[in-house]
Amino acid sequence: MKKAPALLVLTDFFQAAERALDYATNLAAPLGARLVLLHVRRDSLLDPEALPGELSNLNASAVRLALNSLTHDLPVPVVAEVGHGLLLPAVTDAVSRHHPALIVLGRPERDELPDELASTTALEIIQHAPYP
């Protein structure tokens, strides 16, 4: 029996991530795909990935509660995971285990943020985990 294709969705619980989850859910339903919702807990405020954005300051139980809140009413199968540390190694690990057909992440709407800086995360993910 073949496993349903997966869509890997990154979340930090901010609005852009919620839009990415909606988008992925709308793609997954007609494809018969499952979602893998990944939140990466950053363990340090000195994390260089945090410079252009915001960090979620939720503790482990709050993260679990937030993930359950996001996933409990979805119309497609979903598994929620929590990674730790830097984003790229956590995404690479999830990709190696789930082999997603697509990685979905949101882009914050920030007029003052240059496009080059806003797209850095997506470019780094594509370089390290060659999935669309």
Side-chain angles (χ1 to χ4, degrees):
M1 183 173 184
K2 189 174 179 181
K3 202 180 217 186
L7 304 180
L8 178 62
V9 185
L10 306 183
T11 187
D12 58 7
F13 309 116
F14 291 106
Q15 187 176 16
E18 289 179 22
R19 287 191 304 268
L21 180 58
D22 288 342
Y23 178 79
T25 301
N26 288 330
L27 283 177
L31 295 174
R34 61 193 169 90
L35 299 180
V36 177
L37 186 60
L38 176 64
H39 173 72
V40 180
R41 287 204 59 209
R42 297 190 174 138
D43 302 316
S44 169
L45 291 177
L46 300 177
D47 181 347
E49 295 174 356
L51 294 176
E54 300 176 61
L55 283 178
S56 170
N57 60 353
L58 301 175
N59 64 33
S61 58
V63 166
R64 200 40 72 193
L65 183 64
L67 286 171
N68 288 339
S69 174
L70 287 175
T71 61
H72 82 280
D73 282 337
L74 291 178
V76 297
V78 62
V79 61
E81 296 186 353
V82 178
H84 293 276
L86 295 176
L87 182 66
L88 287 176
V91 170
T92 302
D93 176 59
V95 163
S96 72
R97 290 181 292 108
H98 296 284
H99 306 285
L102 182 70
I103 300 173
V104 183
L105 62 150
R107 180 176 187 263
E109 292 181 23
R110 294 197 177 115
D111 293 335
E112 71 278 359
L113 193 63
D115 286 341
E116 296 80 19
L117 194 54
S119 62
T120 300
T121 301
L123 290 174
E124 287 179 359
I125 290 172
I126 288 170
Q127 289 172 346
H128 288 89
Y131 281 79

